[in-house]
Each structure stands twice: as structure tokens, then as C-alpha cells.
Amino acid sequence: MSEILERSPVVQKLLEIACGSSRAEVSRVEELIDRAVQMQLPMIDSLLDAGLVQEEEFFIGVSELARMTLVVGALEPSDVPELKKICSAALAIRYQVVPLKLENDELTMVCYDPFRMEGRQALSRKLPYTIRWVMGERRHVRASLSAIYGVGADTFEKILAGRDIDADQLAEKDEASVLDDDESDEASVLRFVNQIIREALVHKATDIHIEPQSDILRIRYRVDGQLLDVPVPERINALQSSVVARLKIMSRLDVAERRMPQDGRIHLKNAGKSIDVRVATIPSVEGETVSLRLLNQEKFDIHALDLEDSVKESILEVLALSHGVILATGPTGSGKSTSLYCFLDYLNKPETRTVTIEDPVENKLPGIVQIAVRPEVGLTFAKGLRSILRADPNNVMIGEIRDTETAEIAIRASLTGHLVFSTLHTNTAIGGISRLLDMDIEPFLVSASVRAFLAQRLVRKLCEHCAEPVKNWSEARAVELAVPPQIYQLGGHPSAPMGCPECRHTGYQGRTAIYEICKVSETIQNLIAKGADENAVFEQAVKEGFETMRDYGWRKVMKGVTSIEEVLSCTHSHSGLTQI
Ligand SMILES: [Zn+2]
């Protein structure tokens, strides 16, 4: 195989641009481009799909090569309803182009692949306007397509085009018969459902909610803990029954049962990665709602928790222990399971054995034995835990300590040489002590077994694209907010959320956890054993360097990671010793 390909000047130039914006080896880029040419695949998509180029830089080069204006950043079309009428979803999505504005009969259209001539020609033929072509980055073109037309709009248009039924009639039909209509229709609905899920994965959503309402099928994604309305094609309610039925079939639920809630699971493959989806249907007066939870979406790496040094040191110190109980506290959705998973992953070595019992198992960890509680067959936390301990583990995780029996077994396990992780439902780290005592655990047992209480909350991270330094930031303002002097003196400057298309005008993108950790020192052990109250333990812990979650939050604020408002709203003013 020594055939040398003759590259056309344009291809050669594109290759140079790709290499210039790539960290991959030149030979890899060459190979990919030559293969695309040979197989007549679009070169730009091939490069981007392979993740070989840095998109922003790459498109600057391509636009220069094509002598087209590049629209930098997110696209903001003007008068969307009008543009949608001019350019249908089928055309825009098929050719991956976005109508941007119409001025004096001149239509500005954005493409990301100037070498796909057939799209540009087709649009010139079909639209009665002079078209001015400009370029945008692919990710922005795609985001704009789903914002303008709604997720899966092209599939949706095709389905409707193939159906000679009006929407109202369709909605009243029985779900099962809708699916029987014809096979190609069924394939299209499946494709539409897949598009909804794929789009959710692109947005790093954890949940998808499909909710019928009187006039529209509402689809929402949960991203960074917040629910977001997903733009959907108009008249999507015509497909409501088919979409719900399709999801129920995929999750092996009873399609005919629409009055009772049902639970199921779907296993999907996306880009070679397997994805578990937990499905729950709930009958509502407007119709059945379907909630999908996308599992296995997180990576568990202690270094990705972005821990401040003081807390990181304490955590690593505790993880180095051979036995003891480590408790993570916080309300539901505070990310405590994520932290525990990261700890288990850190401890997961070939020579150790880690077993968990959870309700339910939300994320599978490679190399770790995970058990789901099943109260209906008598497999409770307490019972599961007893059998786990007979199976000789080093580390054990119990999803949650809810009752005395589980707490007692956990403590006993730690006293017989196991490192035991679990969660408790309290607000603060030190509040965990009272919670255990409330469960009738003897103070001396708590003091002898628990090695650390960790509490946490999730705060939203400021959007890196639009956050701006807080004006009038001064020492006086820091004093007013009770930012400890030692943190203020570290320097830095708080930022505030502004909002831009990148963060959907929220000012925030992603979340990070803020922590407080109380290591149980000998002095604190004695206090607990003596039955001292939380305040006494708190004061002693502070003497030993304990920092509250709010102060931890201030560290993140001074670094511009999160905002003052986020920390104020997610934490209590002092130690916050109240129970939930
Ligand atoms: Zn932003």
C-alpha cells in the first residue's frame, strides 16, 4: 500500500488549517482527510467528529480559506417565527444551515461547511431571496438549529408529512394502534425519541421529563440541577401518544396500562458508550408523563471534585485509615453520593475489596461489588450489610443510614476493621453526631467509631464566558459579608453572573461542591463520649482548624468560581446547627 494520493489545493490547504488547530499528530490528520476524500465523506464533519481540531481556531482558518465572514460565538437569529416560515426545518436540518436574518430581500444564512455545495445550491433554488452566506462554528449552528426548530424537528416534519391525519384525531387514538400504523412511521418515532435522548446527552442532562399539557407536549431537561424547557417542534402534541408508547416499549413497560405508575429501564448505546436510563411513568390528568434519568453520566475522580487544599488533605488523611466510619451529610441532591463514589474509586485497588449496598444503584463503578436493596424480598440495608460483612470486604459503603439497626451494624463493622462510608440526612457536619445519638446509638460508640463527618452542598459555577468582576469590592464589603480575614487576605476578586448565549442567559454553567469536614480528634472523641452538645464540639473543632461550608464557599467566591449570592443562598450564616 504505497499509493500516494494527489491532494487538490483546497484539500491540502484544509489539511494545513486542521494541523494548525490540532494537537494530534500530522499523520493522523492526513490519514483522516485522505480517507474522507476517498470515501467522499464531508471533511469538516470527519475532523470534528474525530475530535481532532480545536473548533474555534479551526473555523477561523476555514472561513479565511472559503473567503466567508465568520460569525464568532453563538448565533442569534432575529425574528425567529418569520425565519422559520421562510426556511423549513427539513431544509435547515438536512443541509445544516441556519437562517440568521432577512433584510431588504437579502437572506443571511449560516453554514459551517462551505464545501458542501449541494446545500447552498438547493437553498438558492428553493428560497425566493438573494442569499448571503456566512459561516459559523458547527456547535453553534447545531445549537441554533435545535433552538429554532426544536429537537428532532426534521424527523418530526417527515412523520407528519407521511400522515394524512390531523393532530386532534391522532391524540385520541389508542397508543398501541398508533404504533401499528406502519413500520416506517414507527422507525421515525424511534428516531425522534433517540434524538431527544441524544440531545440531552449533549447538554449533559441528568434527567428528561416528557410532560403532556393541554396544548403541547412539554419536554424538559435537568442540567446542573435546573430544569430547562427544551424547544420542541410546533404541533408536537400530534406525536404525544406515539412518543410515550415508544418509550414504554423501549423500557419494557405495559403499553396498555395508563392509569398506574410504572418503572422500567432502558439500555442504550451512544458513541460506543453504554447508557442506563431509569424510566418512570406517572399518569396525570393531561396524560401520562414520562421521566427518564440518565445514569452513568458522571466520572468519579477525587481530583475532579476541585477540593480546596485544606479539605483535600483532611479527606486523604481519613481515606488512609484502615477502619472507621466516614459520614457524608447533606440534603438530597447535595452531591454526597458523588463524593462517596469518588472516595471509593480512589480506594479501589486490585488488592482491596469494596462492596456497596445502595437504594438504588445509580452508577456502576468498575471493580466494585454493588448491591441494590430490595425490601420487597427482604433485602434491606441492615440485612444486606450483614451478608456483605461475611464476604470479607475492606471498604463498605451503605447508601444511607436510616435506622438504628443499620447504624449499629455499620459501627460494629468499623470496629472490626472495616472502613465504612455512609450518608446521613442532616444539614451540617457536626449535626451528624446528634443524628446518630437520636437514633439511640450510645455516645461512646459514636466517639469510638466515627472518624469524620463531611457536609456538602452544590453551588452553581459562574459562566466563564460572561462573569464580570464585582464592582465596589472592598475590605468593608468583605467584613459586612463576614468573609474571614484570612480568606480575604488570600487575594482574588469575586465575580458576578451576567448571562450570555453560552449559559442560556443564566450566568451559570455547571456546579461544584462546597464542603466542611470535621475530623474526630481525640479531644472531640472525649466530648462526644461525654455527651457534650453540638456547640461545644463546634467550638473545639474550630480550634482545631474546622472551617464552615460558608467559609469554604468564600474561598470559591474569591477565586471567581461561584458568586456571593450562591454561597449566601446555599449555606447558613454561622455553623448552621439546625437539623432538617
Ligand atoms: Zn454566560
Side-chain angles (χ1 to χ4, degrees):
M1 275 281 295
S2 60
E3 187 191 348
I4 295 166
L5 285 161
E6 188 72 37
R7 297 190 190 103
S8 76
V10 172
V11 174
Q12 182 58 38
K13 194 78 192 106
L14 193 69
L15 175 66
E16 284 161 24
I17 293 166
C19 290
S21 59
S22 175
R23 262 180 263 134
E25 281 168 33
V26 174
S27 61
R28 253 196 93 197
V29 182
E30 277 180 338
E31 193 185 316
L32 193 112
I33 287 198
D34 290 342
R35 195 170 147 265
V37 171
Q38 261 178 333
M39 302 183 67
Q40 305 208 333
L41 299 170
M43 286 179 285
I44 292 183
D45 279 326
S46 305
L47 285 165
L48 291 171
D49 290 345
L52 280 187
V53 292
Q54 200 278 325
E55 201 161 334
E56 219 171 315
E57 214 178 311
F58 175 66
F59 276 106
I60 292 175
V62 177
S63 67
E64 280 164 7
L65 175 64
R67 295 173 199 274
M68 276 164 87
T69 308
L70 178 72
V71 181
V72 179
L75 306 177
E76 290 183 77
S78 57
D79 197 3
V80 169
E82 182 64 22
L83 293 171
K84 265 163 89 169
K85 268 187 239 154
I86 295 172
C87 181
S88 70
L91 272 181
I93 295 172
R94 171 156 181 215
Y95 297 116
Q96 297 281 296
V97 293
V98 172
L100 198 61
K101 64 175 179 212
L102 179 66
E103 252 172 14
N104 310 325
D105 271 355
E106 186 191 67
L107 180 64
T108 305
M109 298 279 300
V110 191
C111 66
Y112 68 81
D113 189 343
F115 307 112
R116 270 171 75 175
M117 294 308 291
E118 80 279 10
R120 289 167 61 184
Q121 286 160 355
L123 283 146
S124 302
R125 252 194 337 268
K126 290 187 178 177
L127 305 182
Y129 300 99
T130 313
I131 300 180
R132 176 177 163 254
W133 286 98
V134 296
M135 275 185 66
E137 290 171 35
R138 184 175 79 167
R139 57 194 171 129
H140 295 311
V141 167
R142 290 194 168 167
S144 200
L145 283 174
S146 90
I148 296 175
Y149 297 103
V151 54
D154 53 337
T155 308
F156 178 74
E157 275 189 5
K158 261 181 236 153
I159 300 170
L160 282 192
R163 274 184 181 179
D164 199 14
I165 330 167
D166 75 283
D168 302 335
Q169 207 187 331
L170 199 72
E172 280 174 19
K173 285 182 77 176
D174 192 48
E175 280 162 4
S177 69
V178 169
L179 283 170
D180 288 341
D181 269 357
D182 83 66
E183 264 184 36
S184 64
D185 220 41
E186 193 180 323
S188 303
V189 174
L190 178 59
R191 192 169 335 121
F192 181 68
V193 167
N194 283 339
Q195 275 169 320
I196 296 172
I197 298 174
R198 212 175 313 126
E199 185 86 4
L201 292 170
V202 169
H203 283 94
K204 300 191 171 64
T206 51
D207 300 81
I208 306 172
H209 299 286
I210 296 166
E211 304 156 319
Q213 298 193 326
S214 55
D215 52 345
I216 183 105
L217 181 65
R218 187 184 200 193
I219 300 181
R220 295 195 289 173
Y221 292 159
R222 188 177 289 283
V223 179
D224 300 336
Q226 313 269 323
L227 281 173
L228 285 183
D229 260 308
V230 178
V232 291
E234 277 162 40
R235 296 177 63 211
I236 190 180
N237 51 337
L239 276 189
Q240 178 174 314
S241 320
S242 318
V243 170
V244 170
R246 173 48 51 195
L247 282 165
K248 284 165 81 175
I249 291 174
M250 287 167 82
S251 36
R252 296 169 198 277
L253 299 180
D254 180 355
V255 182
E257 176 58 79
R258 283 188 276 166
R259 287 160 308 174
M260 295 295 284
Q262 297 187 67
D263 294 306
R265 262 183 130 93
I266 308 177
H267 301 281
L268 292 172
K269 275 236 180 303
N270 184 54
K273 201 176 142 208
S274 83
I275 294 149
D276 265 337
V277 184
R278 214 168 63 216
V279 183
T281 69
I282 301 167
S284 81
V285 285
E286 308 266 25
E288 259 180 310
T289 70
V290 184
S291 296
L292 310 175
R293 166 152 286 191
L294 307 170
L295 307 172
N296 293 344
Q297 288 307 87
E298 286 176 275
K299 286 244 177 309
F300 299 102
D301 175 1
I302 199 164
H303 304 291
L305 292 174
D306 197 20
L307 295 166
E308 293 290 318
D309 290 344
S310 57
V311 164
K312 191 169 191 169
E313 268 168 38
S314 300
I315 287 176
L316 293 180
E317 206 175 290
V318 171
L319 293 181
L321 297 171
S322 62
H323 64 277
V325 178
I326 294 155
L327 290 170
T329 73
T332 310
S334 56
K336 48 191 194 295
S337 326
T338 302
S339 298
L340 291 188
Y341 277 142
C342 292
F343 302 163
L344 294 182
D345 178 73
Y346 175 81
L347 293 173
N348 187 17
K349 299 191 184 85
E351 66 274 18
T352 59
R353 188 168 149 81
T354 301
V355 185
T356 75
I357 180 150
E358 304 168 61
D359 180 22
V361 174
E362 294 228 339
N363 290 283
K364 297 207 182 86
L365 294 171
I368 290 177
V369 181
Q370 292 172 281
I371 303 165
V373 296
R374 287 177 63 205
E376 70 276 15
V377 296
L379 181 54
T380 58
F381 276 125
K383 193 152 186 203
L385 192 49
R386 273 203 201 94
S387 27
I388 287 176
L389 293 172
R390 287 193 288 269
D392 183 34
N394 303 87
N395 311 312
V396 177
M397 182 182 102
I398 309 153
E400 191 185 338
I401 294 183
R402 291 179 196 153
D403 52 57
T404 311
E405 195 186 2
T406 312
E408 278 173 349
I409 308 169
I411 287 174
R412 215 175 309 134
S414 80
L415 297 176
T416 55
H418 302 91
L419 200 52
V420 181
F421 297 86
S422 191
T423 67
L424 275 180
H425 222 65
T426 60
N427 269 336
T428 63
I430 292 165
I433 300 169
S434 317
R435 182 84 188 92
L436 288 176
L437 300 181
D438 288 345
M439 285 182 181
D440 289 331
I441 306 296
E442 294 291 338
F444 80 89
L445 279 179
V446 176
S447 85
S449 62
V450 185
R451 296 282 62 92
F453 292 92
L454 178 79
Q456 69 178 91
R457 293 288 183 285
L458 292 175
V459 292
R460 289 183 291 166
K461 278 161 60 174
L462 285 163
C463 166
E464 288 173 9
H465 302 276
C466 64
E468 280 183 14
V470 168
K471 294 187 190 83
N472 308 325
W473 177 249
S474 62
E475 189 161 4
R477 179 82 180 110
V479 170
E480 201 178 291
L481 289 166
V483 176
Q486 73 274 16
I487 294 176
Y488 176 80
Q489 280 152 15
L490 288 174
H493 193 112
S495 286
M498 289 293 139
C500 70
E502 291 277 350
C503 57
R504 298 173 301 268
H505 303 282
T506 58
Y508 295 96
Q509 247 182 346
R511 291 190 293 177
T512 190
I514 54 173
Y515 299 90
E516 61 187 30
I517 181 167
C518 173
K519 282 181 292 176
V520 182
S521 65
E522 239 183 270
T523 321
I524 293 177
Q525 265 185 307
N526 291 335
L527 284 172
I528 298 173
K530 274 198 324 214
D533 69 3
E534 279 186 25
N535 282 315
V537 176
F538 176 73
E539 276 163 27
Q540 177 58 31
V542 170
K543 267 187 222 156
E544 296 174 14
F546 173 82
E547 204 170 80
T548 64
M549 235 182 308
R550 175 167 284 190
D551 288 349
Y552 187 99
W554 292 136
R555 291 182 183 273
K556 294 290 183 202
V557 166
M558 294 300 286
K559 290 180 177 171
V561 174
T562 187
S563 69
I564 295 172
E565 296 76 26
E566 274 295 286
V567 169
L568 289 178
S569 72
C570 294
T571 59
H572 293 275
S573 55
H574 53 101
S575 63
L577 295 172
T578 40
Q579 298 275 325
I580 298 174

